Amino acid sequence: MKALVVDDSKTIRTIMQRSLAPLGFDEIVEAEDGQQALDRCGEGQPDLITLDWNMPVMNGIEFLKAYRAQGHKTPILMVTTEAEKSRVVEAIKAGVNHYLIKPFTPAQLKERIEETLQRAA
Amino acid sequence: MDQTTLDMLALTLSQAVTDVCSMMLGEDVTVGTPDVAGRVPDHAGDGVRGSIDITGDFTGEASIHLPTATAIKLVSAFVGVDIKPDDEAFVDAIGELANMVVGSAKANFEGLNCSISCPTVRLIVEASESYPPPHLRLPVTGESGDFAIEVLLAA
């Protein structure tokens, strides 16, 4: 399976890689912002996207709207410090499948990834 | 900023740094009594500061301020490998810690309408670069060493 990890923090991308590999993701592609993520998706659709909200160039919501407008159904887990209810609602309306607020434990991340895949199945 | 707001800010930042250290670093920390008068910390001339600009109901800057030795241990716990302070990944990790602490506090501060910036990280190498005395300073103690969460409010 292929995952796309979108976050401007290399630290978070490393943590995501570490969590995704044991869940069967043998190809993990990284992007530092929404625009890079759109470019990466042009090289082949992933089976899962983990998406930060606050990023330079193109933020997570902008990516989400552009990506869903292209008709792609890939499950997306938003992983962000944005915890206000209004933000969660905004993300869900824009097409995110699940939401995880930073900080998180490794167990919470694993659980949320699995739930995201189940919801989209 | 009135005393009630300062108290609430201290409370939300205390909870945030405790959560971030516990969940992301696997380290339990203790937050001491907030120093609302502010003072320059003992390690002002040797350390690392990850800062987040805040705009909205109040304007200022919130920081995680660590002695270099403590920062090295915490980054190692965060990333899972040892990283030297001059490595780009080290700076990124400190910035992400600051982002999580301030973002989490902002989310838990009911009624506060603020925006936060992308983090900036400075390596503090000389005492002359030390920060002005912050308006709020939270001393944090953990297995990896002592550090502080500081808030500097705009005049």
Side-chain angles (χ1 to χ4, degrees):
Chain A
M1 286 197 295
K2 177 179 175 181
L4 172 63
V5 176
V6 190
D7 199 303
D8 58 334
S9 166
K10 181 172 172 51
T11 305
I12 295 298
R13 297 199 304 272
T14 301
I15 289 170
M16 289 296 173
Q17 289 235 15
R18 203 182 301 143
S19 294
L20 286 163
L23 296 174
F25 288 91
D26 51 7
E27 183 182 358
I28 301 169
V29 181
E30 297 183 10
E32 295 179 15
D33 58 61
Q35 185 57 58
Q36 264 193 18
L38 287 175
D39 294 342
R40 299 281 185 274
C41 289
E43 299 162 5
Q45 291 305 311
D47 299 291
L48 174 74
I49 298 172
T50 68
L51 181 66
D52 187 19
W53 188 308
N54 295 308
M55 295 178 289
V57 185
M58 178 187 279
N59 70 31
I61 284 291
E62 290 166 340
F63 164 80
L64 195 53
K65 289 175 179 172
Y67 186 69
R68 290 300 190 220
Q70 293 173 2
H72 300 302
K73 308 286 188 200
T74 300
I76 299 178
L77 170 63
M78 183 153 265
V79 184
T80 175
T81 55
E82 294 290 344
E84 289 88 348
K85 192 177 175 183
S86 61
R87 297 294 235 179
V88 179
V89 171
E90 183 182 353
I92 290 170
K93 282 183 176 173
V96 81
N97 297 80
H98 217 341
Y99 205 95
L100 178 61
I101 295 165
K102 299 175 185 175
F104 50 79
T105 64
Q108 287 171 335
L109 175 59
K110 177 177 180 287
E111 182 181 272
R112 213 52 65 90
I113 291 168
E114 289 172 338
E115 288 174 357
T116 305
L117 293 169
Q118 286 165 8
R119 285 183 178 194
Chain B
M1 180 176 284
D2 59 44
Q3 188 60 49
T4 304
T5 308
L6 264 179
D7 289 346
M8 189 65 186
L9 188 60
L11 188 66
T12 52
L13 281 167
S14 295
Q15 188 60 54
V17 71
T18 303
D19 288 348
V20 169
C21 288
S22 170
M23 297 168 94
M24 302 301 304
L25 311 178
E27 177 158 337
D28 293 330
V29 297
T30 304
V31 181
T33 305
D35 178 0
V36 292
R39 65 183 179 85
V40 177
D42 299 337
H43 54 268
D46 165 34
V48 182
R49 179 188 301 285
S51 301
I52 303 281
D53 290 333
I54 302 170
T55 54
D57 287 349
F58 72 87
T59 300
E61 180 183 293
S63 301
I64 181 170
H65 184 188
L66 312 102
T68 304
T70 303
I72 289 170
K73 290 178 186 172
L74 291 182
V75 167
S76 174
F78 194 15
V79 183
V81 292
D82 292 338
I83 300 175
K84 292 180 179 174
D86 58 358
D87 193 311
E88 199 177 300
F90 184 91
V91 171
D92 182 272
I94 295 295
E96 187 58 26
L97 280 177
N99 181 45
M100 283 192 197
V101 170
V102 179
S104 181
K106 170 180 166 272
N108 292 322
F109 197 137
E110 281 186 30
L112 184 73
N113 185 20
C114 280
S115 296
I116 60 176
S117 70
C118 290
T120 56
V121 176
R122 281 202 318 148
L123 303 180
I124 303 163
V125 292
E126 294 178 13
S128 60
E129 283 188 53
S130 64
Y131 215 46
H135 289 77
L136 175 66
R137 181 170 184 270
L138 300 173
V140 185
T141 302
E143 197 177 307
S144 296
D146 297 345
F147 62 97
I149 303 297
E150 297 168 357
V151 179
L152 182 69
L153 301 174

